Amino acid sequence: KAGVTQTPRYLIKTRGQQVTLSCSPISGHRSVSWYQQTPGQGLQFLFEYFSETQRNKGNFPGRFSGRQFSNSRSEMNVSTLELGDSALYLCASSFVLAGGYNEQFFGPGTRLTVL
Amino acid sequence: QQQVKQSPQSLIVQKGGISIINCAYENTAFDYFPWYQQFPGKGPALLIAIRPDVSEKKEGRFTISFNKSAKQFSLHIMDSQPGDSATYFCAASKPETSGSRLTFGEGTQLTVNP
């Protein structure tokens, strides 16, 4: 099976712009989660989508939003970019294993630089 | 609020030695504890995971030890190799009915010297 794919891999934007990142989960996985990774804050949960519905949301401002399509592909959008939004944005797809817990697999990430 | 605390922040081990990374959690609702390995420029890769109904799980050179009463778990890497040099993250999540949210520790940068 192909792994989680994310596009683009690298992105450079300027303050005030908006950006859209894309994630294709592993085939058959219905849940997609997004995380932000920075040296200072580590890995922080942004939100999770399951069957096109947001199921969980982390503690990020409303400038961060996402959506999921019927084929489970997901996009996240960041509006009015700030310097502090520079980070590696990771997408993870998950599958419910026997026993009822989620095993999450991460993509390679999109490196966003805000100038 | 940091719900999963990880130590040490960095670790240097000689080839063939044992690497030990520790994590402590606060939320007793957590019921799934994975470890991820991340190389520079890559996303985290699932290494091994444990549920609280067992005290130890071993996969090859990697072992998770779990102490439910102390709310602590640790990763042991036996016969550490230079190729194990990476950043390791512990994580925790609640039951599947709560969704797929992972809470991560701060990470440990492991260096294995040849």
Side-chain angles (χ1 to χ4, degrees), chain A residues 31 35 37 45 48 55-57 94 96 100-104 106-107, chain B residues 32 36 38 41-44 46 51 89 96 98-102 104:
Chain A
S31 168
Y35 294 82
Q37 185 175 25
F45 173 80
E48 180 210 0
R55 184 161 70 169
N56 267 304
K57 188 177 189 307
S94 65
V96 180
Y101 60 95
N102 292 286
E103 197 166 72
Q104 288 196 42
F106 284 82
Chain B
Y32 175 64
Y36 284 85
Q38 186 177 29
K42 306 287 187 181
L46 181 63
R51 298 291 301 277
F89 293 93
E96 186 276 334
S98 300
S100 304
R101 177 177 187 160
L102 284 170
F104 283 90

PDB file of all heavy atoms in Angstrom, chain A residues 31 35 37 45 48 55-57 94 96 100-104 106-107, chain B residues 32 36 38 41-44 46 51 89 96 98-102 104:
ATOM      1  N   SER A  31      -9.787   8.270   8.700  1.00  0.00           N
ATOM      2  CA  SER A  31      -9.478   9.377   9.602  1.00  0.00           C
ATOM      3  C   SER A  31      -8.184  10.054   9.167  1.00  0.00           C
ATOM      4  O   SER A  31      -7.190   9.383   8.882  1.00  0.00           O
ATOM      5  CB  SER A  31      -9.330   8.855  11.037  1.00  0.00           C
ATOM      6  OG  SER A  31      -8.772   9.841  11.865  1.00  0.00           O
ATOM      7  N   TYR A  35      -1.035  17.825  12.280  1.00  0.00           N
ATOM      8  CA  TYR A  35      -0.193  18.246  13.390  1.00  0.00           C
ATOM      9  C   TYR A  35       0.773  19.314  12.906  1.00  0.00           C
ATOM     10  O   TYR A  35       1.200  19.320  11.758  1.00  0.00           O
ATOM     11  CB  TYR A  35       0.628  17.070  13.942  1.00  0.00           C
ATOM     12  CG  TYR A  35      -0.202  15.988  14.588  1.00  0.00           C
ATOM     13  CD1 TYR A  35      -0.826  15.010  13.819  1.00  0.00           C
ATOM     14  CD2 TYR A  35      -0.363  15.935  15.969  1.00  0.00           C
ATOM     15  CE1 TYR A  35      -1.591  14.016  14.397  1.00  0.00           C
ATOM     16  CE2 TYR A  35      -1.126  14.935  16.564  1.00  0.00           C
ATOM     17  CZ  TYR A  35      -1.742  13.989  15.767  1.00  0.00           C
ATOM     18  OH  TYR A  35      -2.499  13.008  16.354  1.00  0.00           O
ATOM     19  N   GLN A  37       4.546  20.842  13.722  1.00  0.00           N
ATOM     20  CA  GLN A  37       5.785  20.535  14.428  1.00  0.00           C
ATOM     21  C   GLN A  37       6.742  21.714  14.332  1.00  0.00           C
ATOM     22  O   GLN A  37       7.107  22.146  13.237  1.00  0.00           O
ATOM     23  CB  GLN A  37       6.449  19.276  13.869  1.00  0.00           C
ATOM     24  CG  GLN A  37       7.683  18.851  14.665  1.00  0.00           C
ATOM     25  CD  GLN A  37       8.281  17.534  14.207  1.00  0.00           C
ATOM     26  OE1 GLN A  37       8.127  17.116  13.061  1.00  0.00           O
ATOM     27  NE2 GLN A  37       8.955  16.839  15.117  1.00  0.00           N
ATOM     28  N   PHE A  45      -1.296  18.885  18.038  1.00  0.00           N
ATOM     29  CA  PHE A  45      -2.468  18.456  17.293  1.00  0.00           C
ATOM     30  C   PHE A  45      -3.275  19.669  16.815  1.00  0.00           C
ATOM     31  O   PHE A  45      -3.575  20.573  17.603  1.00  0.00           O
ATOM     32  CB  PHE A  45      -3.322  17.568  18.186  1.00  0.00           C
ATOM     33  CG  PHE A  45      -4.647  17.167  17.612  1.00  0.00           C
ATOM     34  CD1 PHE A  45      -4.732  16.125  16.702  1.00  0.00           C
ATOM     35  CD2 PHE A  45      -5.797  17.817  17.995  1.00  0.00           C
ATOM     36  CE1 PHE A  45      -5.958  15.736  16.190  1.00  0.00           C
ATOM     37  CE2 PHE A  45      -7.023  17.441  17.494  1.00  0.00           C
ATOM     38  CZ  PHE A  45      -7.106  16.407  16.582  1.00  0.00           C
ATOM     39  N   GLU A  48      -8.738  16.802  13.521  1.00  0.00           N
ATOM     40  CA  GLU A  48      -8.943  15.485  12.926  1.00  0.00           C
ATOM     41  C   GLU A  48     -10.258  15.463  12.168  1.00  0.00           C
ATOM     42  O   GLU A  48     -11.258  16.028  12.632  1.00  0.00           O
ATOM     43  CB  GLU A  48      -8.975  14.387  13.997  1.00  0.00           C
ATOM     44  CG  GLU A  48      -9.198  12.994  13.421  1.00  0.00           C
ATOM     45  CD  GLU A  48      -9.917  12.055  14.372  1.00  0.00           C
ATOM     46  OE1 GLU A  48     -10.261  12.472  15.501  1.00  0.00           O
ATOM     47  OE2 GLU A  48     -10.133  10.893  13.982  1.00  0.00           O
ATOM     48  N   ARG A  55     -13.814  15.841  13.840  1.00  0.00           N
ATOM     49  CA  ARG A  55     -14.133  15.064  15.043  1.00  0.00           C
ATOM     50  C   ARG A  55     -13.390  15.581  16.278  1.00  0.00           C
ATOM     51  O   ARG A  55     -13.834  15.374  17.399  1.00  0.00           O
ATOM     52  CB  ARG A  55     -13.800  13.596  14.794  1.00  0.00           C
ATOM     53  CG  ARG A  55     -14.172  12.673  15.930  1.00  0.00           C
ATOM     54  CD  ARG A  55     -14.270  11.223  15.502  1.00  0.00           C
ATOM     55  NE  ARG A  55     -12.994  10.608  15.167  1.00  0.00           N
ATOM     56  CZ  ARG A  55     -12.844   9.290  14.969  1.00  0.00           C
ATOM     57  NH1 ARG A  55     -13.874   8.478  15.111  1.00  0.00           N
ATOM     58  NH2 ARG A  55     -11.677   8.783  14.622  1.00  0.00           N
ATOM     59  N   ASN A  56     -12.250  16.209  16.059  1.00  0.00           N
ATOM     60  CA  ASN A  56     -11.454  16.730  17.168  1.00  0.00           C
ATOM     61  C   ASN A  56     -10.781  18.008  16.717  1.00  0.00           C
ATOM     62  O   ASN A  56     -10.440  18.160  15.538  1.00  0.00           O
ATOM     63  CB  ASN A  56     -10.359  15.728  17.571  1.00  0.00           C
ATOM     64  CG  ASN A  56     -10.794  14.800  18.677  1.00  0.00           C
ATOM     65  OD1 ASN A  56     -11.207  15.227  19.740  1.00  0.00           O
ATOM     66  ND2 ASN A  56     -10.712  13.511  18.411  1.00  0.00           N
ATOM     67  N   LYS A  57     -10.557  18.905  17.651  1.00  0.00           N
ATOM     68  CA  LYS A  57      -9.892  20.153  17.317  1.00  0.00           C
ATOM     69  C   LYS A  57      -8.916  20.497  18.427  1.00  0.00           C
ATOM     70  O   LYS A  57      -9.245  20.415  19.616  1.00  0.00           O
ATOM     71  CB  LYS A  57     -10.915  21.275  17.140  1.00  0.00           C
ATOM     72  CG  LYS A  57     -10.336  22.571  16.592  1.00  0.00           C
ATOM     73  CD  LYS A  57     -11.431  23.595  16.387  1.00  0.00           C
ATOM     74  CE  LYS A  57     -10.920  24.828  15.642  1.00  0.00           C
ATOM     75  NZ  LYS A  57      -9.731  25.431  16.257  1.00  0.00           N
ATOM     76  N   SER A  94      -5.281   7.235   9.961  1.00  0.00           N
ATOM     77  CA  SER A  94      -5.351   6.179  10.963  1.00  0.00           C
ATOM     78  C   SER A  94      -6.423   5.164  10.622  1.00  0.00           C
ATOM     79  O   SER A  94      -7.388   5.433   9.895  1.00  0.00           O
ATOM     80  CB  SER A  94      -5.577   6.754  12.358  1.00  0.00           C
ATOM     81  OG  SER A  94      -6.830   7.382  12.437  1.00  0.00           O
ATOM     82  N   VAL A  96      -8.610   1.860  12.525  1.00  0.00           N
ATOM     83  CA  VAL A  96      -9.005   1.284  13.807  1.00  0.00           C
ATOM     84  C   VAL A  96      -8.649  -0.195  13.825  1.00  0.00           C
ATOM     85  O   VAL A  96      -9.142  -0.974  13.012  1.00  0.00           O
ATOM     86  CB  VAL A  96     -10.502   1.473  14.072  1.00  0.00           C
ATOM     87  CG1 VAL A  96     -10.869   0.866  15.422  1.00  0.00           C
ATOM     88  CG2 VAL A  96     -10.865   2.946  14.031  1.00  0.00           C
ATOM     89  N   GLY A 100     -10.074  -1.745  19.171  1.00  0.00           N
ATOM     90  CA  GLY A 100     -10.650  -0.405  19.193  1.00  0.00           C
ATOM     91  C   GLY A 100      -9.695   0.727  19.465  1.00  0.00           C
ATOM     92  O   GLY A 100     -10.026   1.685  20.158  1.00  0.00           O
ATOM     93  N   TYR A 101      -8.491   0.646  18.952  1.00  0.00           N
ATOM     94  CA  TYR A 101      -7.619   1.811  19.077  1.00  0.00           C
ATOM     95  C   TYR A 101      -7.042   2.146  17.721  1.00  0.00           C
ATOM     96  O   TYR A 101      -6.955   1.303  16.835  1.00  0.00           O
ATOM     97  CB  TYR A 101      -6.520   1.592  20.117  1.00  0.00           C
ATOM     98  CG  TYR A 101      -5.591   0.443  19.848  1.00  0.00           C
ATOM     99  CD1 TYR A 101      -4.377   0.633  19.206  1.00  0.00           C
ATOM    100  CD2 TYR A 101      -5.922  -0.846  20.249  1.00  0.00           C
ATOM    101  CE1 TYR A 101      -3.518  -0.425  18.964  1.00  0.00           C
ATOM    102  CE2 TYR A 101      -5.068  -1.908  20.012  1.00  0.00           C
ATOM    103  CZ  TYR A 101      -3.868  -1.693  19.374  1.00  0.00           C
ATOM    104  OH  TYR A 101      -3.019  -2.740  19.132  1.00  0.00           O
ATOM    105  N   ASN A 102      -6.654   3.403  17.570  1.00  0.00           N
ATOM    106  CA  ASN A 102      -6.187   3.917  16.279  1.00  0.00           C
ATOM    107  C   ASN A 102      -4.680   3.818  16.135  1.00  0.00           C
ATOM    108  O   ASN A 102      -3.945   4.198  17.038  1.00  0.00           O
ATOM    109  CB  ASN A 102      -6.574   5.393  16.142  1.00  0.00           C
ATOM    110  CG  ASN A 102      -8.060   5.588  16.023  1.00  0.00           C
ATOM    111  OD1 ASN A 102      -8.645   5.305  14.999  1.00  0.00           O
ATOM    112  ND2 ASN A 102      -8.675   6.064  17.094  1.00  0.00           N
ATOM    113  N   GLU A 103      -4.257   3.326  14.992  1.00  0.00           N
ATOM    114  CA  GLU A 103      -2.838   3.295  14.667  1.00  0.00           C
ATOM    115  C   GLU A 103      -2.619   4.372  13.607  1.00  0.00           C
ATOM    116  O   GLU A 103      -3.213   4.303  12.535  1.00  0.00           O
ATOM    117  CB  GLU A 103      -2.450   1.917  14.140  1.00  0.00           C
ATOM    118  CG  GLU A 103      -0.964   1.637  14.149  1.00  0.00           C
ATOM    119  CD  GLU A 103      -0.675   0.164  13.937  1.00  0.00           C
ATOM    120  OE1 GLU A 103      -0.868  -0.310  12.796  1.00  0.00           O
ATOM    121  OE2 GLU A 103      -0.288  -0.510  14.896  1.00  0.00           O
ATOM    122  N   GLN A 104      -1.799   5.361  13.940  1.00  0.00           N
ATOM    123  CA  GLN A 104      -1.620   6.502  13.044  1.00  0.00           C
ATOM    124  C   GLN A 104      -0.313   6.423  12.281  1.00  0.00           C
ATOM    125  O   GLN A 104       0.735   6.127  12.852  1.00  0.00           O
ATOM    126  CB  GLN A 104      -1.655   7.814  13.832  1.00  0.00           C
ATOM    127  CG  GLN A 104      -3.032   8.167  14.335  1.00  0.00           C
ATOM    128  CD  GLN A 104      -3.149   9.597  14.754  1.00  0.00           C
ATOM    129  OE1 GLN A 104      -2.645  10.502  14.106  1.00  0.00           O
ATOM    130  NE2 GLN A 104      -3.819   9.815  15.866  1.00  0.00           N
ATOM    131  N   PHE A 106       2.137   8.650   9.615  1.00  0.00           N
ATOM    132  CA  PHE A 106       2.393  10.019   9.209  1.00  0.00           C
ATOM    133  C   PHE A 106       2.956  10.110   7.792  1.00  0.00           C
ATOM    134  O   PHE A 106       3.689   9.220   7.335  1.00  0.00           O
ATOM    135  CB  PHE A 106       3.392  10.682  10.163  1.00  0.00           C
ATOM    136  CG  PHE A 106       2.782  11.078  11.472  1.00  0.00           C
ATOM    137  CD1 PHE A 106       2.621  10.156  12.488  1.00  0.00           C
ATOM    138  CD2 PHE A 106       2.358  12.383  11.676  1.00  0.00           C
ATOM    139  CE1 PHE A 106       2.051  10.530  13.698  1.00  0.00           C
ATOM    140  CE2 PHE A 106       1.789  12.770  12.879  1.00  0.00           C
ATOM    141  CZ  PHE A 106       1.631  11.837  13.886  1.00  0.00           C
ATOM    142  N   GLY A 107       2.625  11.217   7.143  1.00  0.00           N
ATOM    143  CA  GLY A 107       3.245  11.541   5.876  1.00  0.00           C
ATOM    144  C   GLY A 107       4.569  12.258   6.111  1.00  0.00           C
ATOM    145  O   GLY A 107       4.971  12.468   7.253  1.00  0.00           O
TER     146      GLY A 107
ATOM    147  N   TYR B  32      -3.590   4.112  25.008  1.00  0.00           N
ATOM    148  CA  TYR B  32      -2.774   3.629  23.894  1.00  0.00           C
ATOM    149  C   TYR B  32      -1.523   4.480  23.860  1.00  0.00           C
ATOM    150  O   TYR B  32      -1.605   5.716  23.885  1.00  0.00           O
ATOM    151  CB  TYR B  32      -3.566   3.745  22.581  1.00  0.00           C
ATOM    152  CG  TYR B  32      -2.797   3.395  21.332  1.00  0.00           C
ATOM    153  CD1 TYR B  32      -2.305   2.108  21.118  1.00  0.00           C
ATOM    154  CD2 TYR B  32      -2.591   4.344  20.339  1.00  0.00           C
ATOM    155  CE1 TYR B  32      -1.608   1.792  19.960  1.00  0.00           C
ATOM    156  CE2 TYR B  32      -1.905   4.032  19.183  1.00  0.00           C
ATOM    157  CZ  TYR B  32      -1.413   2.760  18.994  1.00  0.00           C
ATOM    158  OH  TYR B  32      -0.735   2.454  17.843  1.00  0.00           O
ATOM    159  N   TYR B  36       7.274   6.846  18.362  1.00  0.00           N
ATOM    160  CA  TYR B  36       7.587   7.180  16.981  1.00  0.00           C
ATOM    161  C   TYR B  36       9.069   7.520  16.860  1.00  0.00           C
ATOM    162  O   TYR B  36       9.676   8.068  17.782  1.00  0.00           O
ATOM    163  CB  TYR B  36       6.758   8.373  16.518  1.00  0.00           C
ATOM    164  CG  TYR B  36       5.309   8.026  16.209  1.00  0.00           C
ATOM    165  CD1 TYR B  36       4.352   7.987  17.216  1.00  0.00           C
ATOM    166  CD2 TYR B  36       4.915   7.710  14.915  1.00  0.00           C
ATOM    167  CE1 TYR B  36       3.034   7.664  16.936  1.00  0.00           C
ATOM    168  CE2 TYR B  36       3.589   7.391  14.618  1.00  0.00           C
ATOM    169  CZ  TYR B  36       2.668   7.368  15.641  1.00  0.00           C
ATOM    170  OH  TYR B  36       1.355   7.038  15.357  1.00  0.00           O
ATOM    171  N   GLN B  38      11.761   9.544  14.306  1.00  0.00           N
ATOM    172  CA  GLN B  38      11.779  10.528  13.227  1.00  0.00           C
ATOM    173  C   GLN B  38      13.205  10.857  12.825  1.00  0.00           C
ATOM    174  O   GLN B  38      14.020  11.251  13.650  1.00  0.00           O
ATOM    175  CB  GLN B  38      11.044  11.814  13.644  1.00  0.00           C
ATOM    176  CG  GLN B  38      10.902  12.823  12.506  1.00  0.00           C
ATOM    177  CD  GLN B  38      10.111  14.048  12.919  1.00  0.00           C
ATOM    178  OE1 GLN B  38      10.097  14.441  14.083  1.00  0.00           O
ATOM    179  NE2 GLN B  38       9.426  14.672  11.956  1.00  0.00           N
ATOM    180  N   GLY B  41      14.068  15.514   8.142  1.00  0.00           N
ATOM    181  CA  GLY B  41      13.418  15.651   6.846  1.00  0.00           C
ATOM    182  C   GLY B  41      12.326  14.646   6.576  1.00  0.00           C
ATOM    183  O   GLY B  41      11.760  14.621   5.481  1.00  0.00           O
ATOM    184  N   LYS B  42      12.019  13.826   7.570  1.00  0.00           N
ATOM    185  CA  LYS B  42      10.982  12.798   7.396  1.00  0.00           C
ATOM    186  C   LYS B  42       9.875  12.992   8.417  1.00  0.00           C
ATOM    187  O   LYS B  42      10.055  13.656   9.437  1.00  0.00           O
ATOM    188  CB  LYS B  42      11.582  11.395   7.584  1.00  0.00           C
ATOM    189  CG  LYS B  42      12.775  11.093   6.709  1.00  0.00           C
ATOM    190  CD  LYS B  42      12.371  10.880   5.279  1.00  0.00           C
ATOM    191  CE  LYS B  42      13.550  10.407   4.436  1.00  0.00           C
ATOM    192  NZ  LYS B  42      13.166  10.222   3.022  1.00  0.00           N
ATOM    193  N   GLY B  43       8.725  12.371   8.149  1.00  0.00           N
ATOM    194  CA  GLY B  43       7.668  12.358   9.141  1.00  0.00           C
ATOM    195  C   GLY B  43       7.932  11.280  10.178  1.00  0.00           C
ATOM    196  O   GLY B  43       8.727  10.368   9.953  1.00  0.00           O
ATOM    197  N   PRO B  44       7.294  11.371  11.335  1.00  0.00           N
ATOM    198  CA  PRO B  44       7.463  10.331  12.367  1.00  0.00           C
ATOM    199  C   PRO B  44       6.974   8.978  11.855  1.00  0.00           C
ATOM    200  O   PRO B  44       5.947   8.899  11.179  1.00  0.00           O
ATOM    201  CB  PRO B  44       6.585  10.831  13.516  1.00  0.00           C
ATOM    202  CG  PRO B  44       6.400  12.292  13.266  1.00  0.00           C
ATOM    203  CD  PRO B  44       6.401  12.444  11.773  1.00  0.00           C
ATOM    204  N   LEU B  46       5.878   5.095  13.026  1.00  0.00           N
ATOM    205  CA  LEU B  46       5.466   4.282  14.168  1.00  0.00           C
ATOM    206  C   LEU B  46       6.461   3.156  14.389  1.00  0.00           C
ATOM    207  O   LEU B  46       6.781   2.385  13.479  1.00  0.00           O
ATOM    208  CB  LEU B  46       4.070   3.713  13.910  1.00  0.00           C
ATOM    209  CG  LEU B  46       3.469   2.852  15.001  1.00  0.00           C
ATOM    210  CD1 LEU B  46       3.274   3.644  16.281  1.00  0.00           C
ATOM    211  CD2 LEU B  46       2.132   2.267  14.541  1.00  0.00           C
ATOM    212  N   ARG B  51      -0.668  -1.208  24.978  1.00  0.00           N
ATOM    213  CA  ARG B  51      -1.885  -0.905  25.705  1.00  0.00           C
ATOM    214  C   ARG B  51      -1.608  -1.138  27.192  1.00  0.00           C
ATOM    215  O   ARG B  51      -0.740  -1.944  27.543  1.00  0.00           O
ATOM    216  CB  ARG B  51      -3.028  -1.817  25.243  1.00  0.00           C
ATOM    217  CG  ARG B  51      -3.416  -1.667  23.792  1.00  0.00           C
ATOM    218  CD  ARG B  51      -4.081  -0.336  23.507  1.00  0.00           C
ATOM    219  NE  ARG B  51      -5.285  -0.105  24.284  1.00  0.00           N
ATOM    220  CZ  ARG B  51      -6.489  -0.581  23.962  1.00  0.00           C
ATOM    221  NH1 ARG B  51      -6.632  -1.346  22.904  1.00  0.00           N
ATOM    222  NH2 ARG B  51      -7.538  -0.293  24.709  1.00  0.00           N
ATOM    223  N   PHE B  89       9.851  10.038  19.854  1.00  0.00           N
ATOM    224  CA  PHE B  89       8.727  10.665  20.530  1.00  0.00           C
ATOM    225  C   PHE B  89       7.840   9.591  21.151  1.00  0.00           C
ATOM    226  O   PHE B  89       7.463   8.622  20.480  1.00  0.00           O
ATOM    227  CB  PHE B  89       7.868  11.467  19.550  1.00  0.00           C
ATOM    228  CG  PHE B  89       8.537  12.675  18.967  1.00  0.00           C
ATOM    229  CD1 PHE B  89       9.212  12.587  17.753  1.00  0.00           C
ATOM    230  CD2 PHE B  89       8.500  13.898  19.619  1.00  0.00           C
ATOM    231  CE1 PHE B  89       9.832  13.691  17.200  1.00  0.00           C
ATOM    232  CE2 PHE B  89       9.116  15.018  19.079  1.00  0.00           C
ATOM    233  CZ  PHE B  89       9.783  14.919  17.868  1.00  0.00           C
ATOM    234  N   GLU B  96     -10.600   4.963  21.065  1.00  0.00           N
ATOM    235  CA  GLU B  96     -10.920   5.282  19.682  1.00  0.00           C
ATOM    236  C   GLU B  96     -12.198   6.101  19.566  1.00  0.00           C
ATOM    237  O   GLU B  96     -12.318   6.939  18.681  1.00  0.00           O
ATOM    238  CB  GLU B  96     -11.043   3.994  18.880  1.00  0.00           C
ATOM    239  CG  GLU B  96     -11.228   4.176  17.392  1.00  0.00           C
ATOM    240  CD  GLU B  96     -12.673   4.412  16.977  1.00  0.00           C
ATOM    241  OE1 GLU B  96     -13.570   3.948  17.733  1.00  0.00           O
ATOM    242  OE2 GLU B  96     -12.917   5.050  15.947  1.00  0.00           O
ATOM    243  N   SER B  98     -13.022   8.500  21.151  1.00  0.00           N
ATOM    244  CA  SER B  98     -12.709   9.917  21.315  1.00  0.00           C
ATOM    245  C   SER B  98     -11.973  10.480  20.119  1.00  0.00           C
ATOM    246  O   SER B  98     -11.590  11.649  20.112  1.00  0.00           O
ATOM    247  CB  SER B  98     -11.854  10.119  22.586  1.00  0.00           C
ATOM    248  OG  SER B  98     -12.538   9.671  23.720  1.00  0.00           O
ATOM    249  N   GLY B  99     -11.712   9.641  19.137  1.00  0.00           N
ATOM    250  CA  GLY B  99     -10.995  10.125  17.971  1.00  0.00           C
ATOM    251  C   GLY B  99      -9.537   9.730  17.984  1.00  0.00           C
ATOM    252  O   GLY B  99      -9.076   8.984  18.834  1.00  0.00           O
ATOM    253  N   SER B 100      -8.790  10.265  17.028  1.00  0.00           N
ATOM    254  CA  SER B 100      -7.404   9.826  16.795  1.00  0.00           C
ATOM    255  C   SER B 100      -6.375  10.835  17.271  1.00  0.00           C
ATOM    256  O   SER B 100      -5.301  10.910  16.724  1.00  0.00           O
ATOM    257  CB  SER B 100      -7.197   9.575  15.306  1.00  0.00           C
ATOM    258  OG  SER B 100      -8.118   8.647  14.819  1.00  0.00           O
ATOM    259  N   ARG B 101      -6.681  11.613  18.276  1.00  0.00           N
ATOM    260  CA  ARG B 101      -5.761  12.651  18.713  1.00  0.00           C
ATOM    261  C   ARG B 101      -4.623  12.065  19.527  1.00  0.00           C
ATOM    262  O   ARG B 101      -4.839  11.418  20.546  1.00  0.00           O
ATOM    263  CB  ARG B 101      -6.530  13.662  19.561  1.00  0.00           C
ATOM    264  CG  ARG B 101      -5.673  14.755  20.144  1.00  0.00           C
ATOM    265  CD  ARG B 101      -6.529  15.733  20.899  1.00  0.00           C
ATOM    266  NE  ARG B 101      -5.759  16.889  21.346  1.00  0.00           N
ATOM    267  CZ  ARG B 101      -6.311  18.051  21.679  1.00  0.00           C
ATOM    268  NH1 ARG B 101      -7.612  18.200  21.597  1.00  0.00           N
ATOM    269  NH2 ARG B 101      -5.563  19.047  22.081  1.00  0.00           N
ATOM    270  N   LEU B 102      -3.382  12.337  19.084  1.00  0.00           N
ATOM    271  CA  LEU B 102      -2.193  11.918  19.818  1.00  0.00           C
ATOM    272  C   LEU B 102      -1.636  13.113  20.582  1.00  0.00           C
ATOM    273  O   LEU B 102      -1.528  14.208  20.037  1.00  0.00           O
ATOM    274  CB  LEU B 102      -1.119  11.400  18.866  1.00  0.00           C
ATOM    275  CG  LEU B 102      -1.306   9.997  18.271  1.00  0.00           C
ATOM    276  CD1 LEU B 102      -0.282   9.751  17.178  1.00  0.00           C
ATOM    277  CD2 LEU B 102      -1.177   8.938  19.360  1.00  0.00           C
ATOM    278  N   PHE B 104       1.818  14.217  22.272  1.00  0.00           N
ATOM    279  CA  PHE B 104       3.213  13.807  22.175  1.00  0.00           C
ATOM    280  C   PHE B 104       4.058  14.333  23.330  1.00  0.00           C
ATOM    281  O   PHE B 104       3.775  15.403  23.896  1.00  0.00           O
ATOM    282  CB  PHE B 104       3.830  14.334  20.874  1.00  0.00           C
ATOM    283  CG  PHE B 104       3.429  13.557  19.654  1.00  0.00           C
ATOM    284  CD1 PHE B 104       2.300  13.917  18.927  1.00  0.00           C
ATOM    285  CD2 PHE B 104       4.171  12.470  19.235  1.00  0.00           C
ATOM    286  CE1 PHE B 104       1.927  13.195  17.794  1.00  0.00           C
ATOM    287  CE2 PHE B 104       3.812  11.748  18.109  1.00  0.00           C
ATOM    288  CZ  PHE B 104       2.675  12.114  17.385  1.00  0.00           C
TER     289      PHE B 104
END
